[in-house]
C-alpha cells in the first residue's frame, strides 16, 4: 500500500501544472524515500526530473517500491476540483490498478474522492550526470517567466549571457531585436526579489524559448528560479518545491546562433 | 397598460441570465398578481417556472392580463447595458407591439431606453403537479455550481445520493470517477454557508449534468439553492428571487445508471 | 540624432494602443517642437492627428527634422514588454535605419533595449481646416467608451443629438432600438465625472459606431473626451495626452439616417 498526505494539497496541484505541459503522462517511482519522476518531452528535447522527499509529507507510507503510470492530463483535471485550502491524500491499494486522490476541506464538511486508472508506460531511467556549472543565476521566477514570454514575442531563440555583474537575455526576429539586462542585486528588501550570480566563467548560450516557456509553468511553485549553465552543457532550470524537493528541467543549448 | 418598476434593476437582469441558456424565447404572463413564465427547453427535457409577485416591485400596474412573447437573447443584450445600481422600469403600452425597458442611473443624470419587438409565440401552459418530496437539500448555490461544473469534467451524468447525514454527488467517465460528499452542517457562522437536509426517505437519482449546469446560471440570484427530490420524480431545483418570487427548474432523472 | 525621454513610459504605450487599431503603420514627424503624426485608416474614412510637444518630455533632442516610418503593430508588441513604472527613451541615430526603445526599471536594476527597423512609407500631409464647432460635449471617456460599445450591440450607426441640456446617443437594429441620454452635470464631486456642453447650435449627427469604438482605444489616456460637432462637418473626438499634447480623431457623419 502507498499512502501520502499533504496538508497543503495545492502544492501538489502546482507540481502537476508545472509538469503537464512538457509531459502528458509519466511514471512515478514511489519508495520509502519519497516520489521521483523522470521524463522527456514527446520530441525528446527537454528532460524533467522531480523529487518529493517522504519527510515533506504530513504522513507517508510506502510498503514496497511501486512504479505508477499516470496521465498528468487527467490528474490535472481532477486536482483543479480541489479547494485551495484542502488536504490531499494520495493512495494506491495493493493489487489495485487505480490511484485515489482524496481531498478534505479545512472545515471537514466536504470530502471528495477521485479514482484514476493507472497506465502501462514504457519507463526509461535517464542518467543525469552531476555537473559543476560555470555559472548559477538565481532570480525571481515571475521575472524569469515574464522575460521568457517577452522574448518569445521577438523570436524563437533566446540567448542568455551571464557575467559577474549581470545577466542578459536577447532575441531577434521579424518584429525587431531586443534584450533585457538584469544587474546583480546589491541590496534588496526581500530576498525573493534578488538577482544573484555565482560565476566561475562567463557564459553565452542560446536556447529554444518555447521550452523555457514550458518550464515556467512551474514558476508558481517557488519565488526564485535557479539557472545553472556551462558552455556546451544542458541548462538546468530548477524550482524548489517547498522544503520537500524540486523540479529540475534540462535543455541543451542550440549550436548555431550562440554568438548572438 | 403594463408598467413595473424595480429599484434594483440588476435583480431582473440576473433572472434573465438565469433563464436564457435554457430557453431563448418565452411567453411572459402578466396579471395583477405579477409576472409568471413557464417554458421547456428546445429538446423538451427540462422545464422552468418563474414567479415574480407584483408586491415585490416598487410600483406595479397591469390593467388587463397580457401574454408577452419575448426574445430572452435580445433582452439579455439590452440588460447588459444597465448600470449595476440602475433603476429599471418595464412598460408595454396598450396596442403596442413592443416592450420598453427604461434604466435610470442612481444620480439621475443618465437615462437609457430600449425597445424590443414582441414576438408571437406558441404558448402552452404546463401543469406541474404539487409533489411531497422525500428529501430537500439546501446548500450554498456557489457550491452547487462548482460541484456541477466539476462533475461535468468527469462525465455526462451526476448521481445525487442523499441520506440524513449528508449528500453525495458522483460521476464517472474517461478521466476516471469521483464523488464529492457534503456533511449536513452542525453549526455555521453564516446561514448562507449551511448545508441542511430534510429527509423522509433516502434518495439516489441520476441526472444529465449538462442541464444542472444550465440551471446554475441562476445561482447569482440567491445564496442558497433548494434541491427537492423523490424517486422516479423530476428534481426541483429552486432559486429564490429576493422576497418576490422564485425560479424553479424541473428535470426528470435518468433511468439507467441509477444504481451508481 | 533624435532622443526623447519620458519618465512615465506608460503614457507613450497608451498613445500607441490608442492609434494602432485605426492605423497599423504611420510616419512620425519629429522636429524641435516635438512629434506629430497624421494618418488615415486603411479604408480612408477616419483621420487621426497626434501631437506630443517637446516640452512634455523629460529630455528632448532633435538635431534635424526627421520622418520616421514606423510599424505601430511591432511597436505595440515591444511596448507591452515595458514595466508599468519604467522610464522610456526613444532614440534614432543619424544614418540609422532603426528606432531604439530603451526601458529602465524604477530601481535601476533592469534595462531593456529594443530595436525596430524603420519603414519607407508614403507620407501625405493632410490639411485639417480649423473649425468653429456648433457644439462641444465633454464627458468621462470611460462613459463614452461604454456607450459606444453598447450602441454597437444595437446597430452599425449611432446618432448623437446634443442640446444645451444634454446629449443623447441612439441606435437601432435587429435586437431593437435604444438610446442613452446624459444630462449636463449640475454639480459633481470630481471634475472628471462631469458631463458639460458648450453649445451654439443643437446638432444631430449619425456616425459609423465601428470607428467610434476604435477611437475609444485611446480612452485610457485621459479621464475626459471632447466631442466637437457641427452639421455636415466631421466629428472631432479628442483625448488629451497629459499636458504634452493630444490625439484627435476625425470622422465624417453619415448622410442618410441623420433624421433618427
Amino acid at each position: 500500500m502507498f499512502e501520502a498526505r499533504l496538508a497543503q494539497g495545492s502544492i501538489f496541484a502546482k507540481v502537476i501544472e508545472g509538469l503537464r505541459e512538457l509531459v502528458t503522462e509519466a511514471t512515478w517511482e514511489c519508495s520509502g524515500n519519497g516520489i521521483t519522476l523522470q521524463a522527456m518531452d514527446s520530441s525528446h528535447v527537454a528532460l524533467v526530473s522531480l523529487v518529493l522527499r517522504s519527510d515533506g509529507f504530513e504522513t507517508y507510507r510506502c510498503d514496497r517500491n511501486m512504479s505508477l503510470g499516470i496521465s498528468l492530463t487527467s490528474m490535472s483535471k481532477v486536482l483543479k476540483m480541489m479547494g485551495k485550502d484542502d488536504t490531499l491524500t494520495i493512495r494506491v491499494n495493493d493489487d489495485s490498478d487505480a490511484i485515489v486522490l482524496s481531498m478534505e476541506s479545512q472545515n471537514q464538511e466536504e470530502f471528495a474522492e477521485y479514482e484514476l486508472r493507472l497506465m502501462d508506460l514504457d519507463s526509461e531511467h535517464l542518467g543525469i550526470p552531476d555537473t559543476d556549472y560555470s555559472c548559477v543565476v538565481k532570480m525571481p521566477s515571475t521575472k524569469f517567466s515574464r522575460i521568457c514570454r517577452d522574448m518569445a514575442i521577438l523570436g524563437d531563440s533566446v540567448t542568455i549571457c551571464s557575467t559577474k555583474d549581470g545577466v542578459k537575455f536577447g532575441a531577434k526576429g521579424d518584429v525587431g531585436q531586443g534584450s533585457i539586462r538584469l544587474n546583480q542585486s546589491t541590496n534588496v528588501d526581500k530576498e525573493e526579489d534578488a538577482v544573484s550570480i555565482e560565476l566561475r566563467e562567463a557564459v553565452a548560450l542560446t536556447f529554444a524559448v518555447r521550452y523555457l516557456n514550458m518550464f515556467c509553468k512551474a514558476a508558481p511553485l517557488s519565488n526564485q528560479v535557479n539557472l545553472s549553465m556551462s558552455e556546451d552543457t544542458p541548462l538546468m532550470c530548477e524550482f524548489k518545491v517547498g522544503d520537500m524537493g524540486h523540479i529540475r528541467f534540462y535543455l541543451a543549448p542550440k549550436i548555431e546562433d550562440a554568438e548572438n
Side-chain angles (χ1 to χ4, degrees), chain A:
Chain A
M1 191 208 197
F2 172 81
E3 190 174 271
R5 183 181 158 94
L6 267 176
Q8 247 190 298
S10 57
I11 290 176
F12 193 77
K14 287 178 187 169
V15 167
I16 300 299
E17 287 310 294
L19 298 173
R20 76 177 175 89
E21 190 138 336
L22 198 72
V23 286
T24 55
E25 47 193 44
T27 302
W28 301 63
E29 304 292 346
C30 304
S31 74
N33 295 325
I35 301 171
T36 61
L37 174 158
Q38 282 193 7
M40 300 201 74
D41 75 293
S42 61
S43 52
H44 279 239
V45 170
L47 187 148
V48 62
S49 165
L50 167 74
V51 171
L52 298 176
R53 279 185 300 274
S54 56
D55 56 22
F57 290 88
E58 214 180 357
T59 65
Y60 187 94
R61 171 182 165 188
C62 183
D63 300 344
R64 56 174 184 83
N65 291 1
M66 280 184 172
S67 292
L68 307 175
I70 289 174
S71 159
L72 301 186
T73 310
S74 295
M75 192 175 259
S76 157
K77 285 182 184 163
V78 162
L79 288 169
K80 288 223 171 91
M81 304 178 193
M82 183 165 58
K84 79 173 169 43
D85 296 318
D86 283 10
T87 298
L88 174 70
T89 306
I90 304 165
R91 196 175 64 244
V92 180
N93 291 320
D94 286 334
D95 304 317
S96 165
D97 64 344
I99 183 167
V100 176
L101 302 175
S102 304
M103 302 159 192
E104 191 180 326
S105 70
Q106 227 174 8
N107 65 4
Q108 304 194 337
E109 287 188 343
E110 185 171 339
F111 304 87
E113 194 165 282
Y114 301 98
E115 206 177 302
L116 300 172
R117 202 147 307 279
L118 293 171
M119 307 168 80
D120 265 324
L121 297 177
D122 288 337
S123 163
E124 30 170 357
H125 191 79
L126 308 148
I128 301 169
D130 266 345
T131 306
D132 190 13
Y133 292 98
S134 306
C135 168
V136 180
V137 175
K138 289 181 206 254
M139 61 184 284
S141 51
T142 51
K143 190 166 284 200
F144 181 59
S145 294
R146 179 175 55 73
I147 289 173
C148 290
R149 198 191 58 214
D150 286 353
M151 291 292 123
I153 292 167
L154 292 177
D156 297 334
S157 300
V158 59
T159 299
I160 307 180
C161 301
S162 188
T163 63
K164 68 178 167 33
D165 299 326
V167 57
K168 196 173 99 176
F169 300 83
K172 59 182 165 188
D174 294 341
V175 171
Q177 65 179 47
S179 63
I180 296 173
R181 183 162 52 86
L182 304 178
N183 285 351
Q184 177 149 219
S185 305
T186 42
N187 58 347
V188 281
D189 292 348
K190 286 182 286 182
E191 205 186 337
E192 64 196 54
D193 291 339
V195 174
S196 69
I197 298 168
E198 287 171 39
L199 187 123
R200 217 158 25 77
E201 207 174 341
V203 296
L205 296 165
T206 299
F207 300 101
V209 71
R210 195 166 85 79
Y211 285 96
L212 299 185
N213 272 312
M214 285 197 242
F215 301 169
C216 288
K217 299 292 175 184
L221 275 168
S222 181
N223 290 322
Q224 289 254 320
V225 59
N226 288 7
L227 304 173
S228 301
M229 294 172 282
S230 292
E231 292 294 335
D232 303 323
T233 303
L235 161 77
M236 180 177 88
C237 169
E238 182 188 54
F239 299 93
K240 301 275 188 214
V241 181
D243 291 329
M244 72 190 296
H246 58 250
I247 296 186
R248 290 179 181 160
F249 297 100
Y250 297 86
L251 179 66
K254 289 188 166 188
I255 307 301
E256 2 73 306
D257 299 353
E259 77 287 356
N260 188 5

mmCIF file of all heavy atoms in Angstrom, chain A residues 105-118:
data_model
loop_
_atom_site.group_PDB
_atom_site.id
_atom_site.type_symbol
_atom_site.label_atom_id
_atom_site.label_comp_id
_atom_site.label_asym_id
_atom_site.label_seq_id
_atom_site.Cartn_x
_atom_site.Cartn_y
_atom_site.Cartn_z
ATOM 1 N N SER A 105 -11.942 19.385 2.883
ATOM 2 C CA SER A 105 -11.947 20.832 3.113
ATOM 3 C C SER A 105 -11.501 21.114 4.536
ATOM 4 O O SER A 105 -11.573 20.254 5.410
ATOM 5 C CB SER A 105 -13.336 21.406 2.877
ATOM 6 O OG SER A 105 -14.210 20.989 3.900
ATOM 7 N N GLN A 106 -11.050 22.358 4.755
ATOM 8 C CA GLN A 106 -10.494 22.712 6.051
ATOM 9 C C GLN A 106 -11.527 22.563 7.177
ATOM 10 O O GLN A 106 -11.206 22.159 8.275
ATOM 11 C CB GLN A 106 -9.988 24.158 6.005
ATOM 12 C CG GLN A 106 -8.604 24.293 6.582
ATOM 13 C CD GLN A 106 -8.057 25.684 6.414
ATOM 14 O OE1 GLN A 106 -8.756 26.598 5.990
ATOM 15 N NE2 GLN A 106 -6.800 25.874 6.743
ATOM 16 N N ASN A 107 -12.790 22.896 6.877
ATOM 17 C CA ASN A 107 -13.828 22.791 7.910
ATOM 18 C C ASN A 107 -14.349 21.364 8.072
ATOM 19 O O ASN A 107 -15.290 21.119 8.817
ATOM 20 C CB ASN A 107 -14.979 23.771 7.629
ATOM 21 C CG ASN A 107 -15.716 23.432 6.348
ATOM 22 O OD1 ASN A 107 -15.428 22.411 5.698
ATOM 23 N ND2 ASN A 107 -16.657 24.278 5.976
ATOM 24 N N GLN A 108 -13.733 20.433 7.315
ATOM 25 C CA GLN A 108 -14.080 18.999 7.413
ATOM 26 C C GLN A 108 -15.548 18.726 7.146
ATOM 27 O O GLN A 108 -16.133 17.806 7.699
ATOM 28 C CB GLN A 108 -13.687 18.456 8.793
ATOM 29 C CG GLN A 108 -12.199 18.682 9.077
ATOM 30 C CD GLN A 108 -11.708 17.878 10.247
ATOM 31 O OE1 GLN A 108 -12.476 17.488 11.103
ATOM 32 N NE2 GLN A 108 -10.416 17.609 10.288
ATOM 33 N N GLU A 109 -16.143 19.520 6.278
ATOM 34 C CA GLU A 109 -17.546 19.263 5.923
ATOM 35 C C GLU A 109 -17.702 18.857 4.466
ATOM 36 O O GLU A 109 -18.793 18.574 4.023
ATOM 37 C CB GLU A 109 -18.388 20.509 6.228
ATOM 38 C CG GLU A 109 -18.563 20.666 7.732
ATOM 39 C CD GLU A 109 -19.533 21.751 8.121
ATOM 40 O OE1 GLU A 109 -19.845 22.607 7.272
ATOM 41 O OE2 GLU A 109 -19.973 21.743 9.289
ATOM 42 N N GLU A 110 -16.584 18.893 3.708
ATOM 43 C CA GLU A 110 -16.668 18.495 2.306
ATOM 44 C C GLU A 110 -15.524 17.534 1.999
ATOM 45 O O GLU A 110 -14.364 17.822 2.284
ATOM 46 C CB GLU A 110 -16.579 19.744 1.418
ATOM 47 C CG GLU A 110 -16.776 19.432 -0.038
ATOM 48 C CD GLU A 110 -16.895 20.680 -0.902
ATOM 49 O OE1 GLU A 110 -17.219 21.767 -0.369
ATOM 50 O OE2 GLU A 110 -16.654 20.554 -2.104
ATOM 51 N N PHE A 111 -15.889 16.387 1.437
ATOM 52 C CA PHE A 111 -14.908 15.360 1.115
ATOM 53 C C PHE A 111 -15.070 14.967 -0.340
ATOM 54 O O PHE A 111 -16.183 14.680 -0.782
ATOM 55 C CB PHE A 111 -15.147 14.094 1.968
ATOM 56 C CG PHE A 111 -15.148 14.369 3.433
ATOM 57 C CD1 PHE A 111 -16.305 14.764 4.081
ATOM 58 C CD2 PHE A 111 -13.968 14.259 4.162
ATOM 59 C CE1 PHE A 111 -16.308 15.041 5.440
ATOM 60 C CE2 PHE A 111 -13.963 14.534 5.523
ATOM 61 C CZ PHE A 111 -15.130 14.938 6.168
ATOM 62 N N ALA A 112 -13.969 14.947 -1.076
ATOM 63 C CA ALA A 112 -14.048 14.496 -2.466
ATOM 64 C C ALA A 112 -13.072 13.355 -2.648
ATOM 65 O O ALA A 112 -12.025 13.313 -2.002
ATOM 66 C CB ALA A 112 -13.722 15.639 -3.411
ATOM 67 N N GLU A 113 -13.421 12.425 -3.502
ATOM 68 C CA GLU A 113 -12.549 11.295 -3.756
ATOM 69 C C GLU A 113 -12.583 10.976 -5.242
ATOM 70 O O GLU A 113 -13.670 10.816 -5.814
ATOM 71 C CB GLU A 113 -13.028 10.089 -2.928
ATOM 72 C CG GLU A 113 -11.989 9.002 -2.872
ATOM 73 C CD GLU A 113 -12.289 7.986 -1.768
ATOM 74 O OE1 GLU A 113 -12.021 8.286 -0.596
ATOM 75 O OE2 GLU A 113 -12.813 6.913 -2.108
ATOM 76 N N TYR A 114 -11.416 10.924 -5.863
ATOM 77 C CA TYR A 114 -11.336 10.664 -7.298
ATOM 78 C C TYR A 114 -10.421 9.475 -7.533
ATOM 79 O O TYR A 114 -9.405 9.322 -6.863
ATOM 80 C CB TYR A 114 -10.802 11.896 -8.040
ATOM 81 C CG TYR A 114 -11.666 13.107 -7.830
ATOM 82 C CD1 TYR A 114 -11.338 14.068 -6.881
ATOM 83 C CD2 TYR A 114 -12.840 13.264 -8.553
ATOM 84 C CE1 TYR A 114 -12.156 15.162 -6.657
ATOM 85 C CE2 TYR A 114 -13.663 14.359 -8.339
ATOM 86 C CZ TYR A 114 -13.315 15.296 -7.389
ATOM 87 O OH TYR A 114 -14.130 16.370 -7.171
ATOM 88 N N GLU A 115 -10.795 8.685 -8.512
ATOM 89 C CA GLU A 115 -10.050 7.478 -8.822
ATOM 90 C C GLU A 115 -9.608 7.554 -10.274
ATOM 91 O O GLU A 115 -10.444 7.739 -11.165
ATOM 92 C CB GLU A 115 -11.006 6.287 -8.620
ATOM 93 C CG GLU A 115 -10.322 5.000 -8.298
ATOM 94 C CD GLU A 115 -11.348 3.904 -8.055
ATOM 95 O OE1 GLU A 115 -12.211 4.063 -7.156
ATOM 96 O OE2 GLU A 115 -11.311 2.904 -8.797
ATOM 97 N N LEU A 116 -8.321 7.452 -10.503
ATOM 98 C CA LEU A 116 -7.782 7.476 -11.860
ATOM 99 C C LEU A 116 -7.123 6.138 -12.160
ATOM 100 O O LEU A 116 -6.345 5.640 -11.348
ATOM 101 C CB LEU A 116 -6.730 8.584 -12.002
ATOM 102 C CG LEU A 116 -7.185 10.011 -11.735
ATOM 103 C CD1 LEU A 116 -5.992 10.947 -11.715
ATOM 104 C CD2 LEU A 116 -8.185 10.452 -12.794
ATOM 105 N N ARG A 117 -7.428 5.601 -13.331
ATOM 106 C CA ARG A 117 -6.834 4.317 -13.699
ATOM 107 C C ARG A 117 -5.330 4.496 -13.950
ATOM 108 O O ARG A 117 -4.902 5.484 -14.550
ATOM 109 C CB ARG A 117 -7.527 3.775 -14.956
ATOM 110 C CG ARG A 117 -7.402 2.275 -15.126
ATOM 111 C CD ARG A 117 -8.658 1.703 -15.787
ATOM 112 N NE ARG A 117 -9.858 2.108 -15.064
ATOM 113 C CZ ARG A 117 -10.319 1.506 -13.941
ATOM 114 N NH1 ARG A 117 -9.703 0.462 -13.425
ATOM 115 N NH2 ARG A 117 -11.407 1.957 -13.364
ATOM 116 N N LEU A 118 -4.518 3.554 -13.471
ATOM 117 C CA LEU A 118 -3.080 3.589 -13.752
ATOM 118 C C LEU A 118 -2.817 3.111 -15.177
ATOM 119 O O LEU A 118 -3.628 2.373 -15.755
ATOM 120 C CB LEU A 118 -2.335 2.703 -12.745
ATOM 121 C CG LEU A 118 -2.375 3.238 -11.303
ATOM 122 C CD1 LEU A 118 -1.822 2.198 -10.333
ATOM 123 C CD2 LEU A 118 -1.584 4.544 -11.197
#
